[in-house]
Amino acid sequence: MTDVTIDTARPPERAARQVADFKPSLILGEHSLCPGCGEPVALRVLLEVLQELDIVQRTIGVVGHGCYGSFVRIMDVDVLQCLHGRAPSCATGIKRVRPGVAVFTLQGDGDMANEGLQEVLHAAARGENITCVMLNNGVFGDTGGQQTATTVLGQRTKTSIDGRDPEAHGYPIPVADLVAGLRGVGYVARGAVSTAGSVLQTKRMLRRAFETQLAGGGFSLVEILTMCPTGWFVPTAEGPTYQQGTMEQTYRLGELVAG
């Protein structure tokens, strides 16, 4: 190997040129979510997986209600929006009518755990061949940052100003762990977007979830821990660190069911 020294004292002889867009072509515009939100990062890796698997033209998404609901305006994928919490049931109907397409749901923790926990549990128990994605930040971000079923102990929200107290509010519900204990599931994992490494691992999880569905392996779920500094009362830049010290201490990252 020959050592090469790059002279940075003057401009390079060959002009730089753009060889690829910064964002995936499936993202059609800018999102309108708060600075520091982790949900746009999760959307990006989800769309990248669809492109890399070359299934965009035969994919249908079902979006729940939450901040991420605005993504339907900027994602170039066939999607529909259903009643609060009912995405797994809607996805079930689509998959049974169109078994040849890849079907996924995109839901927040308020949508999946508070409003529709029964929907995802029954879909998993039936072994429906769909992929569900839960964006978990522990708050109802779209309505002001209230506590959800996944808010961790001690976490401050608009309705738990002093932190979640188990005696007053009960304990958080680990959705991925509940689903992993059911027969009929083919793949269950929990990722995060708080670091570059966790983003890469989450992308791999999403890919494995869709590969499970494409192979007819049954129900798959990827829970993604996402930052919400606005709802957490923390400065924007501290969102990833706060998540690592709170939510990621309660919800272990990794694959829970791997086929």
Side-chain angles (χ1 to χ4, degrees):
M1 179 181 295
T2 303
D3 292 334
V4 177
T5 301
I6 300 176
D7 183 5
T8 59
R10 60 177 183 271
E13 297 178 359
R14 185 175 64 181
R17 61 190 179 88
Q18 181 174 318
V19 296
D21 290 331
F22 180 70
K23 60 186 179 183
S25 60
L26 293 180
I27 297 180
L28 303 178
E30 298 296 328
H31 68 79
S32 58
L33 304 189
C34 301
C37 178
E39 294 184 352
V41 181
L43 174 68
R44 177 186 180 119
V45 294
L46 170 63
L47 296 180
E48 288 177 346
V49 166
L50 297 181
Q51 284 187 306
E52 292 172 8
L53 291 174
D54 194 23
I55 57 173
V56 176
Q57 298 304 317
R58 58 186 184 100
T59 294
I60 299 176
V62 183
V63 178
H65 286 260
C67 297
Y68 55 90
S70 62
F71 289 159
V72 299
R73 298 183 291 104
I74 64 170
M75 53 191 292
D76 192 12
V77 177
D78 288 335
V79 296
L80 58 89
Q81 193 163 24
C82 65
L83 294 175
H84 213 345
R86 304 303 184 260
S89 293
C90 187
T92 293
I94 295 173
K95 187 69 176 187
R96 293 193 178 192
V97 173
R98 298 283 303 280
V101 303
V103 182
F104 73 91
T105 72
L106 187 64
Q107 302 172 258
D109 48 297
D111 187 78
M112 182 180 284
N114 282 68
E115 300 289 342
L117 183 59
Q118 75 283 0
E119 303 290 336
V120 68
L121 291 180
H122 283 286
R126 293 193 305 267
E128 301 293 347
N129 198 40
I130 60 176
T131 298
C132 291
V133 179
M134 182 174 92
L135 307 176
N136 184 5
N137 55 27
V139 293
F140 277 105
D142 195 37
T143 54
Q146 298 89 347
Q147 176 183 282
T148 73
T150 68
T151 302
V152 300
L153 298 182
Q155 183 178 339
R156 298 180 64 215
T157 71
K158 292 288 181 65
T159 49
S160 59
I161 297 298
D162 296 323
R164 180 169 188 163
D165 179 358
E167 293 187 4
H169 310 118
Y171 290 88
I173 297 176
V175 176
D177 299 79
L178 295 181
V179 171
L182 298 173
R183 298 179 63 180
V185 302
Y187 183 79
V188 181
R190 181 184 291 117
V193 293
S194 55
T195 67
S198 64
V199 171
L200 179 60
Q201 186 58 42
T202 297
K203 182 176 178 179
R204 291 171 179 163
M205 292 173 176
L206 287 167
R207 184 183 181 96
R208 291 203 62 183
F210 278 101
E211 288 174 340
T212 297
Q213 180 182 167
L214 295 173
F219 183 87
S220 55
L221 168 75
V222 179
E223 178 181 334
I224 306 175
L225 305 184
T226 59
M227 295 80 70
C228 182
T230 300
W232 295 343
F233 306 101
V234 300
T236 299
E238 296 179 14
T241 302
Y242 179 86
Q243 177 176 293
Q244 293 166 37
T246 54
M247 298 193 71
E248 292 182 28
Q249 298 302 310
T250 297
Y251 301 113
R252 58 190 177 95
L253 306 182
E255 295 178 320
L256 284 70
V257 176

